[in-house]
Amino acid sequence: PPAMGGAGGEGAPPQPRFVINSSIAGKLPVAYLSPYSTSKHACDTYAACLRMELQHFGIGVTTVLASFHKTPLIVAADGTFRGADYVRKTWDRMAASKQAEYGEAVLECLEYSSDALLIDFAWDPLRVNEALVRAATTLSPPEAEVYCGCDSRYVMQALPRLPAFLSEWVVERYLNWYGHRAGVKPAAVEEQLKQLAGARDSKEKTL
């Protein structure tokens, strides 16, 4: 296809670009959020590939990476918080066998964590709107990635640059702080750990 334009000089139109709204979750693995983190990682990787493919045509690709914000996903139109309600509704739609695999303790942990992360530490959603508008309309050459939220910009941006064992240790103990402190694990995992411990004890007694 023909080039759509580019940085032309003073008075030239902005460089054409795609703006992809993603999440900082694409940069960080979070326990028990693997489907969400995986989908966002795929989004970030797709944007990076597209950016390299389109640069020859003068087209930019910017990925906006937001952290926790009070978006309509967790806040209803009347301003009431629905994060815990969303967790409960998702739980209620699960088969009874799946609920048993996770256990009520995990549900309570998720509800408590959603209150902490999505209310106490969430940012104004206008920050996301402003970042998207700025990325789409700036006259400067498009940035590859735009981090939205101070935690995204200064803290979470640094974590992926740490050795994997260290960044995962930080994520497990701070992003999943309540579950780690309470020692909460899915019921099926707890049962498997008990079985492994029992098998290990039996083997030691046999020896």
Side-chain angles (χ1 to χ4, degrees), residues 152-202:
S152 172
R153 186 175 298 117
Y154 299 116
V155 179
M156 294 184 180
Q157 188 178 4
L159 282 178
R161 290 170 168 75
L162 298 175
F165 78 92
L166 186 55
S167 64
E168 291 172 10
W169 183 89
V170 172
V171 169
E172 174 64 20
R173 282 156 180 76
Y174 291 96
L175 289 187
N176 191 31
W177 65 271
Y178 180 74
H180 179 76
R181 187 185 68 178
V184 174
K185 297 183 181 65
V189 174
E190 292 281 13
E191 182 60 30
Q192 290 175 351
L193 291 174
K194 289 179 182 178
Q195 291 176 4
L196 288 173
R200 186 165 53 248
D201 290 343
S202 298

Short mmCIF file of all heavy atoms in Angstrom, two decimals, residues 152-202:
data_model
loop_
_atom_site.label_atom_id
_atom_site.label_comp_id
_atom_site.label_asym_id
_atom_site.label_seq_id
_atom_site.Cartn_x
_atom_site.Cartn_y
_atom_site.Cartn_z
N SER A 152 1.77 2.74 37.08
CA SER A 152 2.16 2.16 35.80
C SER A 152 3.45 2.77 35.28
O SER A 152 4.35 2.08 34.81
CB SER A 152 1.03 2.36 34.78
OG SER A 152 1.44 1.97 33.49
N ARG A 153 3.54 4.10 35.41
CA ARG A 153 4.67 4.83 34.82
C ARG A 153 5.97 4.60 35.58
O ARG A 153 7.02 4.43 34.96
CB ARG A 153 4.34 6.32 34.78
CG ARG A 153 5.38 7.15 34.05
CD ARG A 153 4.94 8.60 33.94
NE ARG A 153 3.72 8.75 33.19
CZ ARG A 153 2.57 9.23 33.70
NH1 ARG A 153 2.52 9.60 34.96
NH2 ARG A 153 1.51 9.34 32.94
N TYR A 154 5.90 4.58 36.91
CA TYR A 154 7.15 4.57 37.69
C TYR A 154 7.47 3.23 38.36
O TYR A 154 8.63 2.90 38.52
CB TYR A 154 7.10 5.67 38.75
CG TYR A 154 6.95 7.05 38.16
CD1 TYR A 154 5.82 7.82 38.40
CD2 TYR A 154 7.94 7.57 37.33
CE1 TYR A 154 5.68 9.07 37.85
CE2 TYR A 154 7.80 8.83 36.77
CZ TYR A 154 6.67 9.59 37.03
OH TYR A 154 6.53 10.81 36.47
N VAL A 155 6.45 2.49 38.76
CA VAL A 155 6.69 1.25 39.50
C VAL A 155 6.60 0.04 38.59
O VAL A 155 7.56 -0.71 38.42
CB VAL A 155 5.69 1.11 40.68
CG1 VAL A 155 5.95 -0.18 41.43
CG2 VAL A 155 5.81 2.31 41.61
N MET A 156 5.43 -0.15 37.96
CA MET A 156 5.22 -1.35 37.16
C MET A 156 6.08 -1.37 35.90
O MET A 156 6.38 -2.41 35.35
CB MET A 156 3.75 -1.48 36.80
CG MET A 156 2.86 -1.72 38.01
SD MET A 156 1.14 -1.98 37.55
CE MET A 156 0.41 -2.22 39.19
N GLN A 157 6.47 -0.19 35.43
CA GLN A 157 7.33 -0.13 34.26
C GLN A 157 8.71 -0.71 34.57
O GLN A 157 9.38 -1.25 33.69
CB GLN A 157 7.45 1.32 33.77
CG GLN A 157 8.19 1.45 32.44
CD GLN A 157 8.25 2.89 31.97
OE1 GLN A 157 7.82 3.80 32.67
NE2 GLN A 157 8.79 3.11 30.79
N ALA A 158 9.12 -0.60 35.82
CA ALA A 158 10.45 -1.08 36.21
C ALA A 158 10.45 -2.58 36.50
O ALA A 158 11.47 -3.25 36.30
CB ALA A 158 10.94 -0.32 37.43
N LEU A 159 9.32 -3.12 36.98
CA LEU A 159 9.29 -4.52 37.40
C LEU A 159 9.69 -5.50 36.29
O LEU A 159 10.47 -6.43 36.54
CB LEU A 159 7.90 -4.88 37.94
CG LEU A 159 7.59 -4.40 39.36
CD1 LEU A 159 6.17 -4.77 39.74
CD2 LEU A 159 8.58 -5.00 40.36
N PRO A 160 9.18 -5.36 35.06
CA PRO A 160 9.56 -6.33 34.03
C PRO A 160 11.04 -6.32 33.68
O PRO A 160 11.54 -7.25 33.05
CB PRO A 160 8.72 -5.90 32.81
CG PRO A 160 7.58 -5.13 33.40
CD PRO A 160 8.16 -4.42 34.58
N ARG A 161 11.75 -5.27 34.08
CA ARG A 161 13.17 -5.19 33.79
C ARG A 161 14.02 -5.91 34.83
O ARG A 161 15.23 -6.06 34.65
CB ARG A 161 13.60 -3.73 33.67
CG ARG A 161 13.04 -3.05 32.42
CD ARG A 161 13.26 -1.54 32.43
NE ARG A 161 12.98 -0.95 31.14
CZ ARG A 161 11.77 -0.75 30.64
NH1 ARG A 161 10.71 -1.10 31.36
NH2 ARG A 161 11.60 -0.21 29.46
N LEU A 162 13.39 -6.33 35.92
CA LEU A 162 14.09 -7.11 36.93
C LEU A 162 14.21 -8.56 36.48
O LEU A 162 13.47 -9.01 35.60
CB LEU A 162 13.33 -7.05 38.26
CG LEU A 162 13.16 -5.68 38.92
CD1 LEU A 162 12.27 -5.81 40.15
CD2 LEU A 162 14.51 -5.09 39.29
N PRO A 163 15.13 -9.33 37.06
CA PRO A 163 15.16 -10.77 36.78
C PRO A 163 13.80 -11.39 37.07
O PRO A 163 13.10 -10.96 38.00
CB PRO A 163 16.25 -11.29 37.73
CG PRO A 163 17.12 -10.10 38.00
CD PRO A 163 16.21 -8.91 37.98
N ALA A 164 13.43 -12.40 36.30
CA ALA A 164 12.08 -12.97 36.41
C ALA A 164 11.74 -13.41 37.83
O ALA A 164 10.65 -13.13 38.34
CB ALA A 164 11.94 -14.15 35.45
N PHE A 165 12.69 -14.08 38.50
CA PHE A 165 12.39 -14.58 39.84
C PHE A 165 12.09 -13.43 40.80
O PHE A 165 11.25 -13.55 41.69
CB PHE A 165 13.54 -15.43 40.37
CG PHE A 165 14.73 -14.65 40.86
CD1 PHE A 165 14.83 -14.29 42.20
CD2 PHE A 165 15.73 -14.25 39.99
CE1 PHE A 165 15.92 -13.55 42.66
CE2 PHE A 165 16.82 -13.53 40.45
CZ PHE A 165 16.91 -13.18 41.79
N LEU A 166 12.76 -12.29 40.60
CA LEU A 166 12.59 -11.15 41.50
C LEU A 166 11.29 -10.41 41.22
O LEU A 166 10.54 -10.05 42.14
CB LEU A 166 13.79 -10.21 41.39
CG LEU A 166 13.84 -9.04 42.37
CD1 LEU A 166 13.74 -9.55 43.82
CD2 LEU A 166 15.13 -8.23 42.17
N SER A 167 11.00 -10.17 39.94
CA SER A 167 9.76 -9.46 39.60
C SER A 167 8.54 -10.28 40.01
O SER A 167 7.55 -9.74 40.51
CB SER A 167 9.71 -9.15 38.10
OG SER A 167 9.67 -10.34 37.34
N GLU A 168 8.61 -11.60 39.83
CA GLU A 168 7.47 -12.44 40.22
C GLU A 168 7.32 -12.48 41.73
O GLU A 168 6.19 -12.57 42.25
CB GLU A 168 7.66 -13.85 39.65
CG GLU A 168 7.51 -13.88 38.13
CD GLU A 168 7.89 -15.22 37.53
OE1 GLU A 168 8.08 -16.19 38.29
OE2 GLU A 168 7.99 -15.30 36.28
N TRP A 169 8.42 -12.42 42.45
CA TRP A 169 8.36 -12.37 43.91
C TRP A 169 7.65 -11.09 44.36
O TRP A 169 6.80 -11.13 45.26
CB TRP A 169 9.78 -12.42 44.48
CG TRP A 169 9.85 -12.44 45.98
CD1 TRP A 169 9.84 -13.53 46.80
CD2 TRP A 169 9.95 -11.29 46.85
NE1 TRP A 169 9.93 -13.14 48.12
CE2 TRP A 169 10.00 -11.78 48.18
CE3 TRP A 169 10.02 -9.92 46.63
CZ2 TRP A 169 10.11 -10.93 49.28
CZ3 TRP A 169 10.11 -9.07 47.73
CH2 TRP A 169 10.16 -9.58 49.04
N VAL A 170 7.98 -9.97 43.73
CA VAL A 170 7.36 -8.69 44.08
C VAL A 170 5.87 -8.72 43.76
O VAL A 170 5.03 -8.30 44.57
CB VAL A 170 8.05 -7.53 43.33
CG1 VAL A 170 7.28 -6.23 43.54
CG2 VAL A 170 9.49 -7.38 43.79
N VAL A 171 5.52 -9.20 42.57
CA VAL A 171 4.12 -9.26 42.16
C VAL A 171 3.31 -10.13 43.11
O VAL A 171 2.22 -9.76 43.56
CB VAL A 171 4.00 -9.78 40.72
CG1 VAL A 171 2.54 -10.09 40.38
CG2 VAL A 171 4.55 -8.77 39.74
N GLU A 172 3.86 -11.30 43.44
CA GLU A 172 3.14 -12.24 44.30
C GLU A 172 2.87 -11.66 45.68
O GLU A 172 1.81 -11.88 46.27
CB GLU A 172 3.94 -13.53 44.43
CG GLU A 172 3.38 -14.54 45.41
CD GLU A 172 2.02 -15.09 45.00
OE1 GLU A 172 1.67 -14.98 43.81
OE2 GLU A 172 1.32 -15.62 45.88
N ARG A 173 3.80 -10.88 46.19
CA ARG A 173 3.67 -10.39 47.56
C ARG A 173 3.02 -9.02 47.68
O ARG A 173 2.56 -8.65 48.76
CB ARG A 173 5.05 -10.39 48.25
CG ARG A 173 5.44 -11.79 48.70
CD ARG A 173 6.92 -11.96 48.83
NE ARG A 173 7.25 -13.31 49.26
CZ ARG A 173 7.20 -14.38 48.47
NH1 ARG A 173 6.83 -14.23 47.21
NH2 ARG A 173 7.50 -15.58 48.92
N TYR A 174 2.98 -8.28 46.58
CA TYR A 174 2.41 -6.94 46.67
C TYR A 174 1.14 -6.78 45.86
O TYR A 174 0.15 -6.25 46.37
CB TYR A 174 3.46 -5.90 46.29
CG TYR A 174 4.56 -5.81 47.30
CD1 TYR A 174 5.75 -6.51 47.13
CD2 TYR A 174 4.40 -5.06 48.47
CE1 TYR A 174 6.76 -6.47 48.08
CE2 TYR A 174 5.40 -5.01 49.43
CZ TYR A 174 6.58 -5.71 49.23
OH TYR A 174 7.57 -5.68 50.17
N LEU A 175 1.12 -7.21 44.61
CA LEU A 175 -0.13 -7.14 43.85
C LEU A 175 -1.13 -8.17 44.36
O LEU A 175 -2.33 -7.96 44.32
CB LEU A 175 0.15 -7.36 42.36
CG LEU A 175 0.88 -6.23 41.64
CD1 LEU A 175 0.93 -6.51 40.14
CD2 LEU A 175 0.21 -4.89 41.90
N ASN A 176 -0.62 -9.29 44.81
CA ASN A 176 -1.49 -10.32 45.38
C ASN A 176 -1.31 -10.35 46.90
O ASN A 176 -1.29 -11.41 47.51
CB ASN A 176 -1.16 -11.68 44.76
CG ASN A 176 -2.19 -12.74 45.10
OD1 ASN A 176 -3.37 -12.44 45.27
ND2 ASN A 176 -1.74 -13.98 45.21
N TRP A 177 -1.17 -9.16 47.51
CA TRP A 177 -0.75 -9.07 48.91
C TRP A 177 -1.74 -9.71 49.87
O TRP A 177 -1.34 -10.38 50.81
CB TRP A 177 -0.55 -7.60 49.28
CG TRP A 177 -1.79 -6.78 49.25
CD1 TRP A 177 -2.30 -6.11 48.18
CD2 TRP A 177 -2.69 -6.54 50.34
NE1 TRP A 177 -3.45 -5.47 48.52
CE2 TRP A 177 -3.72 -5.71 49.84
CE3 TRP A 177 -2.72 -6.92 51.68
CZ2 TRP A 177 -4.77 -5.28 50.62
CZ3 TRP A 177 -3.78 -6.50 52.47
CH2 TRP A 177 -4.79 -5.68 51.94
N TYR A 178 -3.04 -9.51 49.61
CA TYR A 178 -4.01 -10.06 50.58
C TYR A 178 -4.02 -11.58 50.54
O TYR A 178 -4.01 -12.24 51.58
CB TYR A 178 -5.40 -9.51 50.30
CG TYR A 178 -6.42 -10.05 51.29
CD1 TYR A 178 -6.44 -9.60 52.60
CD2 TYR A 178 -7.33 -11.03 50.91
CE1 TYR A 178 -7.36 -10.10 53.52
CE2 TYR A 178 -8.25 -11.54 51.82
CZ TYR A 178 -8.26 -11.06 53.12
OH TYR A 178 -9.15 -11.56 54.02
N GLY A 179 -4.04 -12.15 49.32
CA GLY A 179 -4.03 -13.60 49.20
C GLY A 179 -2.77 -14.20 49.79
O GLY A 179 -2.81 -15.25 50.45
N HIS A 180 -1.63 -13.52 49.60
CA HIS A 180 -0.37 -14.04 50.14
C HIS A 180 -0.38 -13.97 51.67
O HIS A 180 0.00 -14.92 52.35
CB HIS A 180 0.80 -13.23 49.59
CG HIS A 180 2.12 -13.68 50.12
ND1 HIS A 180 2.74 -14.83 49.67
CD2 HIS A 180 2.93 -13.16 51.08
CE1 HIS A 180 3.89 -14.98 50.33
NE2 HIS A 180 4.03 -13.98 51.16
N ARG A 181 -0.86 -12.84 52.21
CA ARG A 181 -0.88 -12.68 53.66
C ARG A 181 -1.81 -13.67 54.32
O ARG A 181 -1.52 -14.25 55.38
CB ARG A 181 -1.31 -11.25 54.02
CG ARG A 181 -1.19 -10.93 55.51
CD ARG A 181 -1.74 -9.57 55.82
NE ARG A 181 -3.18 -9.53 55.64
CZ ARG A 181 -3.92 -8.45 55.88
NH1 ARG A 181 -3.35 -7.33 56.25
NH2 ARG A 181 -5.22 -8.48 55.70
N ALA A 182 -2.97 -13.88 53.69
CA ALA A 182 -3.96 -14.79 54.26
C ALA A 182 -3.63 -16.25 53.97
O ALA A 182 -4.27 -17.14 54.53
CB ALA A 182 -5.35 -14.45 53.72
N GLY A 183 -2.65 -16.49 53.10
CA GLY A 183 -2.29 -17.86 52.77
C GLY A 183 -3.36 -18.58 51.97
O GLY A 183 -3.49 -19.80 52.04
N VAL A 184 -4.14 -17.80 51.19
CA VAL A 184 -5.26 -18.37 50.46
C VAL A 184 -4.79 -18.98 49.14
O VAL A 184 -4.07 -18.34 48.37
CB VAL A 184 -6.33 -17.29 50.18
CG1 VAL A 184 -7.44 -17.85 49.29
CG2 VAL A 184 -6.91 -16.80 51.49
N LYS A 185 -5.20 -20.22 48.90
CA LYS A 185 -4.95 -20.90 47.63
C LYS A 185 -6.24 -21.56 47.20
O LYS A 185 -7.10 -21.87 48.04
CB LYS A 185 -3.86 -21.96 47.78
CG LYS A 185 -2.48 -21.44 48.16
CD LYS A 185 -1.48 -22.60 48.20
CE LYS A 185 -0.10 -22.10 48.60
NZ LYS A 185 -0.08 -21.59 50.00
N PRO A 186 -6.42 -21.80 45.90
CA PRO A 186 -7.61 -22.54 45.45
C PRO A 186 -7.71 -23.88 46.17
O PRO A 186 -6.70 -24.54 46.45
CB PRO A 186 -7.38 -22.73 43.95
CG PRO A 186 -6.52 -21.57 43.57
CD PRO A 186 -5.61 -21.35 44.75
N ALA A 187 -8.95 -24.27 46.47
CA ALA A 187 -9.18 -25.51 47.22
C ALA A 187 -8.55 -26.71 46.54
O ALA A 187 -7.99 -27.60 47.20
CB ALA A 187 -10.68 -25.73 47.41
N ALA A 188 -8.62 -26.76 45.20
CA ALA A 188 -8.05 -27.90 44.48
C ALA A 188 -6.53 -27.94 44.65
O ALA A 188 -5.94 -29.02 44.76
CB ALA A 188 -8.41 -27.81 42.99
N VAL A 189 -5.90 -26.77 44.69
CA VAL A 189 -4.45 -26.71 44.90
C VAL A 189 -4.11 -27.19 46.30
O VAL A 189 -3.16 -27.95 46.52
CB VAL A 189 -3.92 -25.28 44.66
CG1 VAL A 189 -2.44 -25.18 45.02
CG2 VAL A 189 -4.13 -24.88 43.21
N GLU A 190 -4.87 -26.72 47.28
CA GLU A 190 -4.65 -27.15 48.66
C GLU A 190 -4.77 -28.67 48.78
O GLU A 190 -3.95 -29.32 49.46
CB GLU A 190 -5.67 -26.48 49.59
CG GLU A 190 -5.50 -24.98 49.74
CD GLU A 190 -4.39 -24.62 50.72
OE1 GLU A 190 -3.60 -25.50 51.08
OE2 GLU A 190 -4.32 -23.43 51.11
N GLU A 191 -5.76 -29.26 48.13
CA GLU A 191 -5.96 -30.71 48.19
C GLU A 191 -4.79 -31.44 47.55
O GLU A 191 -4.30 -32.45 48.08
CB GLU A 191 -7.27 -31.07 47.48
CG GLU A 191 -7.61 -32.55 47.52
CD GLU A 191 -7.75 -33.11 48.92
OE1 GLU A 191 -8.16 -32.34 49.82
OE2 GLU A 191 -7.47 -34.31 49.12
N GLN A 192 -4.31 -30.94 46.42
CA GLN A 192 -3.16 -31.58 45.75
C GLN A 192 -1.90 -31.49 46.61
O GLN A 192 -1.12 -32.44 46.67
CB GLN A 192 -2.93 -30.93 44.38
CG GLN A 192 -4.01 -31.25 43.36
CD GLN A 192 -3.82 -30.50 42.07
OE1 GLN A 192 -2.97 -29.61 41.97
NE2 GLN A 192 -4.59 -30.85 41.06
N LEU A 193 -1.72 -30.35 47.26
CA LEU A 193 -0.56 -30.19 48.14
C LEU A 193 -0.63 -31.17 49.31
O LEU A 193 0.39 -31.75 49.72
CB LEU A 193 -0.47 -28.75 48.65
CG LEU A 193 -0.11 -27.69 47.61
CD1 LEU A 193 -0.19 -26.30 48.21
CD2 LEU A 193 1.28 -27.94 47.05
N LYS A 194 -1.83 -31.37 49.86
CA LYS A 194 -2.00 -32.34 50.94
C LYS A 194 -1.68 -33.75 50.47
O LYS A 194 -1.03 -34.53 51.17
CB LYS A 194 -3.43 -32.27 51.48
CG LYS A 194 -3.75 -31.02 52.28
CD LYS A 194 -5.20 -31.04 52.76
CE LYS A 194 -5.54 -29.77 53.52
NZ LYS A 194 -6.98 -29.77 53.95
N GLN A 195 -2.12 -34.08 49.26
CA GLN A 195 -1.86 -35.41 48.71
C GLN A 195 -0.37 -35.62 48.49
O GLN A 195 0.18 -36.69 48.79
CB GLN A 195 -2.63 -35.61 47.41
CG GLN A 195 -4.14 -35.68 47.59
CD GLN A 195 -4.86 -35.79 46.26
OE1 GLN A 195 -4.25 -35.87 45.20
NE2 GLN A 195 -6.20 -35.78 46.32
N LEU A 196 0.29 -34.60 47.98
CA LEU A 196 1.74 -34.70 47.76
C LEU A 196 2.48 -34.86 49.09
O LEU A 196 3.42 -35.65 49.20
CB LEU A 196 2.25 -33.47 47.02
CG LEU A 196 1.87 -33.36 45.55
CD1 LEU A 196 2.28 -32.01 44.98
CD2 LEU A 196 2.53 -34.48 44.75
N ALA A 197 2.05 -34.08 50.10
CA ALA A 197 2.68 -34.18 51.42
C ALA A 197 2.46 -35.56 52.01
O ALA A 197 3.37 -36.15 52.61
CB ALA A 197 2.12 -33.10 52.34
N GLY A 198 1.23 -36.11 51.84
CA GLY A 198 0.95 -37.44 52.35
C GLY A 198 1.78 -38.50 51.67
O GLY A 198 2.30 -39.42 52.33
N ALA A 199 1.92 -38.39 50.35
CA ALA A 199 2.72 -39.36 49.61
C ALA A 199 4.19 -39.27 50.02
O ALA A 199 4.87 -40.30 50.15
CB ALA A 199 2.57 -39.10 48.12
N ARG A 200 4.66 -38.04 50.26
CA ARG A 200 6.05 -37.87 50.68
C ARG A 200 6.29 -38.47 52.07
O ARG A 200 7.30 -39.14 52.30
CB ARG A 200 6.41 -36.38 50.68
CG ARG A 200 7.87 -36.10 50.97
CD ARG A 200 8.25 -34.68 50.60
NE ARG A 200 7.37 -33.71 51.22
CZ ARG A 200 6.50 -32.94 50.56
NH1 ARG A 200 6.40 -33.05 49.25
NH2 ARG A 200 5.73 -32.07 51.19
N ASP A 201 5.32 -38.27 52.97
CA ASP A 201 5.45 -38.84 54.32
C ASP A 201 5.44 -40.36 54.27
O ASP A 201 6.22 -41.03 54.98
CB ASP A 201 4.31 -38.34 55.20
CG ASP A 201 4.43 -36.86 55.53
OD1 ASP A 201 5.54 -36.32 55.35
OD2 ASP A 201 3.42 -36.26 55.93
N SER A 202 4.57 -40.93 53.44
CA SER A 202 4.49 -42.39 53.32
C SER A 202 5.80 -42.96 52.79
O SER A 202 6.29 -44.00 53.25
CB SER A 202 3.36 -42.78 52.39
OG SER A 202 2.11 -42.35 52.92
#
